[in-house]
Amino acid sequence: MQFTRGFKNRLASATFLVAAAMTVAGPAFAQSVVVKGNRRVDTETIRSYFAGSDQAKVNEGVKNLYATGLFSDVRVSRAGGSVVVSVVENNVINRVAFEGNSKVKSDQLSSEVQTKSRGAYSPATVEADVQRIRDIYRRGGRADATVTARTVDLPNGRIDVVFTVDEGGKTGVKTINFVGNSAFSTYRLRNLMQTTEMNILSWLKTSDVYDPDKIAADQELIRRYYLKNGYADFRIVGSDAVYDPAQKGYVITITVDEGAQYHVGSIAVDSRLSDVDPVTLRSLVKIKEGDVYNGDLVEKSVDSLTREVARRGYAFSSARPRGDRDPASRTISLGFVIEEGPRVYIERVNVRGNTRTRDYVVRREFEIGEGDAYNRVIMDRAERRLNNLGFFKKVKITNEPGSAPDRVVVNVDVEDQPTGSFAISGGYSTSDGIIGEVSLSESNFLGRGQFVRAAVSYGQYTRGIDLSFTEPYFMGYRMSAGVDLFAKQSDQTKYALYSNMVTGATLRLGLPVTEEITFSPRYSIYQSRISIPNTTSQPYNDCSVPLIGITPGTVGAPAIDAANSCLSNGEASLAIKEASGTRLTSLVGYTLSYNTLDNNRNPTQGMFAEFRQDVAGLGGDAKFVRTSADGRYYFPLFEDVVGFARLQGGNITGFGGEKLRIVDNYNLGPGLVRGFAPGGLGPRDISDPLNLQSAALGGTSYFGGTLEAQFPIWGLPKELGLKGAVFADAGTLFGYKGTTNFAQLLGYPAGTGCVAPTTAPVPGTNPVVNVKTSQGSCITVEDSHKIRSSVGVSLLWASPLGPIRFDYAFVLSKDKVDQKQAFRFSGGSSF
């Protein structure tokens, strides 16, 4: 204010002097201008501001010189026959420095302030920058921060400008209160908000920072939640945010008026288009009579109806919802009116702000283009799609008049955001052990909207590499296409006494049928190499290839007796030995999926169902048909408690005279029924009682079901990401269809019946001192259809390392040879 007042006083003084000079000198003014006091600014430059002789232009020249920011004082006077312009130049800023800041980096502050090095010093600009810095800290949750500015004089009229910051403590949101809510608890409404309260995790998070814009967005989330649950009269009466110096935080109070919950009464579709029968559109309405009113489903119905009539040739038409409330019965009668809209065409689509993403990536999300009929519903749909891409920080679609009354220009303003990630992942599971992964991914490769990923994993029992590429708009159609290359080595010796190396590739397509249904065909070819370890520490094949000094009966090893033989130190089943070696599998398949989940990462309502089928036999060594289905349904049991029901099943059948190998079968455990070890249930080779744990054969058919309830752990901050769960599982795996007589594998002639274990000299050694025991040629299969079941409790943690789950299960029913595992721990992802 002092600077501004001084400027006005000096401007008035200069104007008065100019007026006096003009009265005496008249036109001579423009002919003789003397400039004094300038050191850096050229004299002719200053004279150019006074090209005119009339008083208005002189006043304008003085004002314009001040506006350059180069001068702290400008005075105009007369001396003899000349007019003298006396100036005092502002100091030049040598550098701008920041002191006391640690929460906000100096680079960020430098980009925000208007005071710049090598620029002219302006007290008014510096004062405005002080306020800008305060605003930055306020938005960052430090409303108590103080900022001061000072200058340091240097030679030759140069100065340093130093901003000193006292950041103070964090002043986030201390408490969020709701008034007037009864249908939903304050706890539930707080969980809907992106803004959170300060707690013991405040040093880790920024969501507890008070931001008026974020609070407004949270109110919209709350409003939509009430509308989704039938409260059509809901409104937010008021929202107050008060800073409490004692608590050093904001207290936010949101007052609501819930109104009554409504159900849907009658539903009618009224077509004002002569050629469109409303009866044919009725099935597109997503909500049913008697349902709780749901604003989201009404919006989806409008979208579906508009798209359908546009498909039938009525490009200007749209659906308009109408609701008639009946407070007495608490019902809403819904009507959807299909009517012709104004005939407006899209003249041009301007895409602005995309510095990295190609224009066509944005334009292809629109179902209409330049020259087509303008439709507001379809534009809203395109805006949602662009937001869902994840390529942009913000997306805004606006209109402006075109060159004619029936033309409109569509402006699409976007702001690119980083889409690449480098992730180091870590985890542990009871089946895979400790595992780490390094991955590099980009979801907007070269600005083309393509997804690429490369990952390398290394762990106790698994290691591998994955390369993936996806083009979301293959050949210009809304159809994704991709290729995956993979190589994975897995050590199954903990549960099955073999290791498997798989290398291959998959070609895939994704074709959206509707918003909920996707059809995804694929072709895969892979080679698997199964090997059985036979070392001093893992002698799992020494009945076939004895290890001198290790295998009982050889020199330096115990003699063969009832307790000691090659079977006693662990021996792979003959079914595994038959499957050892290299095999090529070539298969074609597809997946048909249905998804209505409200949130794919943390669903609370909706269904996800998947039907998969693969046929192997297009070349390669395997011939089978594999079919599976998996359905999951989420539903709210009551407030904050989500129910989860799952049904799954599958079957694999060989054809063309080919018998299934053990690795083709389903080998299931906790993925079907928790409480069982990996490969712990289903058909088993019981011919060797000493190796039951590692003798899983797998089955050809399975089915199972799960019931689970997930709930928050009350009293803990939601930012901890902890939830509890109780569950019940039931299922079975059966139908071993593989070989049971392996006489030929052991060297016996074809047609030989079952041969008992025998003891014989080891070939190529001293037959007196080296003998071995051979496995019997037949296996005994325990293959029960018995339903296995369990109940248990879980702890779910959305940790910084990714989702982690702890399960503890109590087995209620099992087969006598099934292998149990009560505790299961799995998880780990990017950090």
Side-chain angles (χ1 to χ4, degrees):
M1 291 297 294
Q2 184 177 358
F3 173 81
T4 305
R5 189 163 49 247
F7 168 78
K8 290 180 178 179
N9 291 337
R10 289 194 296 272
L11 183 61
S13 176
T15 302
F16 173 77
L17 291 174
V18 169
M22 290 285 295
T23 303
V24 176
F29 178 79
Q31 300 172 5
S32 179
V33 177
V34 177
V35 178
K36 293 184 178 181
N38 58 314
R39 292 174 297 172
R40 296 182 303 275
V41 182
D42 183 67
T43 298
E44 292 303 322
T45 300
I46 296 175
R47 281 177 178 165
S48 68
Y49 282 79
F50 300 93
S53 58
D54 59 275
Q55 182 175 345
K57 289 188 176 181
V58 171
N59 292 344
E60 183 180 357
V62 173
K63 184 184 299 183
N64 290 340
L65 277 180
Y66 273 117
T68 64
L70 299 174
F71 306 99
S72 60
D73 193 18
V74 179
R75 296 178 181 271
V76 180
S77 62
R78 181 180 179 278
S82 302
V83 173
V84 180
V85 179
S86 301
V87 297
V88 178
E89 294 181 351
N90 276 325
N91 291 322
V92 174
I93 300 171
N94 177 59
R95 70 185 181 99
V96 178
F98 301 91
E99 295 178 346
N101 58 306
S102 61
K103 302 299 182 183
V104 182
K105 301 300 182 185
S106 296
D107 290 344
Q108 181 181 348
L109 295 176
S110 295
S111 64
E112 293 288 339
V113 298
Q114 300 301 310
T115 302
K116 305 291 184 183
S117 59
R118 295 186 298 276
Y121 173 75
S122 170
T125 302
V126 170
E127 185 59 35
D129 286 338
V130 167
Q131 187 57 46
R132 288 189 184 93
I133 297 173
R134 287 174 182 161
D135 290 341
I136 292 172
Y137 275 93
R138 180 187 59 80
R139 292 195 301 269
R142 296 183 178 273
D144 284 342
T146 59
V147 183
T148 58
R150 73 177 193 277
T151 60
V152 179
D153 292 328
L154 301 173
N156 301 320
R158 302 174 71 84
I159 61 172
D160 285 345
V161 178
V162 181
F163 294 96
T164 302
V165 181
D166 180 2
E167 295 182 321
K170 186 174 181 178
T171 54
V173 176
K174 202 67 178 178
T175 307
I176 301 175
N177 298 318
F178 285 87
V179 177
N181 57 305
S182 59
F184 302 107
S185 68
T186 296
Y187 178 86
R188 178 59 183 156
L189 297 181
R190 283 185 192 138
N191 283 342
L192 295 173
M193 301 174 66
Q194 298 298 314
T195 304
T196 62
E197 296 178 331
M198 297 175 68
N199 51 40
I200 58 175
L201 297 177
S202 289
W203 63 282
L204 277 175
K205 63 179 182 175
T206 58
S207 59
D208 57 354
V209 172
Y210 173 69
D211 185 339
D213 293 336
K214 190 184 291 185
I215 294 295
D218 287 334
Q219 292 179 24
E220 178 62 17
L221 291 175
I222 293 168
R223 187 189 70 83
R224 292 185 68 90
Y225 182 76
Y226 269 95
L227 289 178
K228 180 181 177 180
N229 286 277
Y231 293 87
D233 294 331
F234 173 82
R235 63 192 183 97
I236 294 178
V237 178
S239 176
D240 297 322
V242 179
Y243 179 70
D244 187 346
Q247 298 187 65
K248 292 189 177 298
Y250 287 90
V251 177
I252 297 174
T253 303
I254 300 175
T255 305
V256 302
D257 180 6
E258 293 179 327
Q261 186 184 50
Y262 286 83
H263 286 71
V264 178
S266 61
I267 298 177
V269 178
D270 179 14
S271 174
R272 307 287 172 85
L273 308 175
S274 58
D275 296 336
V276 177
D277 184 356
V279 176
T280 62
L281 301 175
R282 185 65 174 77
S283 62
L284 297 174
V285 177
K286 306 294 184 181
I287 197 168
K288 299 178 182 178
E289 295 178 1
D291 289 351
V292 173
Y293 176 79
N294 187 322
D296 286 352
L297 293 181
V298 171
E299 185 176 306
K300 289 182 179 180
S301 300
V302 169
D303 185 51
S304 296
L305 291 167
T306 300
R307 293 182 65 211
E308 175 61 20
V309 295
R311 188 186 65 81
R312 297 187 186 186
Y314 293 90
F316 298 99
S317 300
S318 61
R320 178 172 51 85
R322 184 186 68 244
D324 297 324
R325 293 178 176 82
D326 182 357
S329 62
R330 295 184 178 180
T331 59
I332 298 179
S333 296
L334 289 176
F336 296 92
V337 180
I338 312 298
E339 57 188 0
E340 187 83 5
R343 290 184 172 271
V344 178
Y345 296 90
I346 298 174
E347 178 177 308
R348 189 172 65 257
V349 177
N350 297 322
V351 180
R352 306 182 298 201
N354 52 319
T355 57
R356 180 167 174 268
T357 303
R358 312 280 179 103
D359 268 21
Y360 69 82
V361 173
V362 176
R363 293 177 184 273
R364 69 190 183 189
E365 296 301 325
F366 292 79
E367 296 179 354
I368 52 179
E370 292 160 343
D372 291 338
Y374 177 82
N375 191 301
R376 180 71 249 178
V377 173
I378 296 178
M379 285 294 169
D380 291 342
R381 178 186 178 87
E383 186 169 355
R384 289 196 299 271
R385 281 178 171 169
L386 287 171
N387 277 308
N388 291 336
L389 289 177
F391 300 166
F392 309 109
K393 288 183 181 178
K394 62 179 181 180
V395 177
K396 186 176 182 181
I397 298 178
T398 56
N399 306 323
E400 62 182 52
S403 58
D406 63 344
R407 296 290 186 269
V408 65
V409 175
V410 177
N411 296 317
V412 185
D413 293 291
V414 299
E415 182 181 348
D416 282 306
Q417 67 178 359
T419 53
S421 68
F422 172 76
I424 301 176
S425 309
Y428 174 83
S429 74
T430 46
S431 59
D432 295 331
I434 299 172
I435 187 169
E437 181 183 82
V438 177
S439 65
L440 184 67
S441 65
E442 171 59 69
S443 60
N444 189 13
F445 183 60
L446 300 178
R448 296 173 177 172
Q450 298 163 337
F451 175 81
V452 295
R453 182 176 186 269
V456 177
S457 60
Y458 191 90
Q460 267 184 294
Y461 308 124
T462 61
R463 62 206 62 175
I465 182 170
D466 289 283
L467 302 173
S468 181
F469 172 82
T470 302
E471 166 57 64
Y473 277 78
F474 184 56
M475 299 179 66
Y477 294 99
R478 192 178 293 277
M479 172 178 66
S480 65
V483 58
D484 302 309
L485 305 176
F486 53 88
K488 182 179 180 181
Q489 182 179 13
S490 56
D491 182 355
Q492 304 290 336
T493 54
K494 186 176 180 181
Y495 299 103
L497 304 186
Y498 71 89
S499 61
N500 190 12
M501 178 68 183
V502 179
T503 56
T506 297
L507 299 175
R508 48 187 165 75
L509 293 174
L511 295 87
V513 180
T514 66
E515 283 291 303
E516 297 84 15
I517 300 174
T518 302
F519 176 69
S520 304
R522 61 184 170 273
Y523 170 75
S524 297
I525 182 169
Y526 57 89
Q527 177 181 275
S528 59
R529 187 175 71 252
I530 295 175
S531 58
I532 302 171
N534 196 34
T535 63
T536 55
S537 60
Q538 295 179 320
Y540 302 145
N541 196 28
D542 63 338
C543 282
S544 301
V545 184
L547 300 171
I548 305 301
I550 300 298
T551 304
T554 62
V555 174
I560 297 175
D561 55 30
N564 293 290
S565 70
C566 62
L567 300 175
S568 62
N569 58 13
E571 187 73 5
S573 169
L574 288 171
I576 295 175
K577 292 183 178 182
E578 180 200 37
S580 63
T582 301
R583 192 185 198 197
L584 183 68
T585 302
S586 173
L587 59 83
V588 63
Y590 67 91
T591 299
L592 189 64
S593 60
Y594 175 79
N595 189 349
T596 61
L597 298 179
D598 58 347
N599 186 311
N600 287 333
R601 297 188 63 183
N602 187 25
T604 61
Q605 193 168 354
M607 174 182 288
F608 177 82
E610 191 175 65
F611 180 82
R612 299 171 62 93
Q613 193 165 54
D614 294 290
V615 179
L618 302 178
D621 305 315
K623 292 183 179 180
F624 59 77
V625 178
R626 182 171 57 204
T627 306
S628 64
D630 188 353
R632 309 178 186 206
Y633 178 62
Y634 295 84
F635 52 95
L637 290 172
F638 45 92
E639 189 174 356
D640 299 320
V641 178
V642 177
F644 164 52
R646 179 185 184 186
L647 292 175
Q648 57 177 316
N651 174 265
I652 183 170
T653 303
F655 66 89
E658 289 285 331
K659 284 198 171 184
L660 296 170
R661 297 193 310 166
I662 185 173
V663 291
D664 296 326
N665 291 337
Y666 295 109
N667 287 271
L668 302 176
L672 184 64
V673 181
R674 281 164 283 193
F676 291 86
L681 56 83
R684 211 167 204 84
D685 177 6
I686 61 173
S687 56
D688 181 5
L690 299 176
N691 293 318
L692 287 179
Q693 178 182 352
S694 55
L697 299 174
T700 58
S701 299
Y702 75 93
F703 61 85
T706 294
L707 291 175
E708 182 171 298
Q710 300 177 0
F711 51 86
I713 301 178
W714 288 275
L716 293 180
K718 75 171 184 178
E719 294 80 17
L720 280 176
L722 287 173
K723 291 193 297 184
V726 294
F727 63 82
D729 293 340
T732 186
L733 170 66
F734 57 91
Y736 176 74
K737 300 296 177 66
T739 303
T740 57
N741 187 337
F742 299 92
Q744 281 188 279
L745 180 69
L746 297 177
Y748 295 102
T752 303
C754 293
V755 179
T758 59
T759 300
V762 177
T765 67
N766 187 335
V768 177
V769 296
N770 290 311
V771 296
K772 68 170 184 175
T773 300
S774 297
Q775 290 172 280
S777 65
C778 292
I779 63 172
T780 304
V781 180
E782 174 73 18
D783 189 356
S784 171
H785 288 63
K786 183 174 183 178
I787 300 295
R788 283 79 164 178
S789 61
S790 68
V791 295
V793 295
S794 301
L795 181 65
L796 289 71
W797 182 26
S799 76
L801 297 179
I804 293 177
R805 181 171 185 130
F806 306 84
D807 294 318
Y808 193 87
F810 303 87
V811 173
L812 301 179
S813 61
K814 63 182 283 290
D815 189 64
K816 57 186 177 182
V817 295
D818 288 340
Q819 303 297 302
K820 296 192 298 182
Q821 185 184 75
F823 177 71
R824 184 191 184 206
F825 166 61
S826 62
S829 186
S830 300
F831 59 85

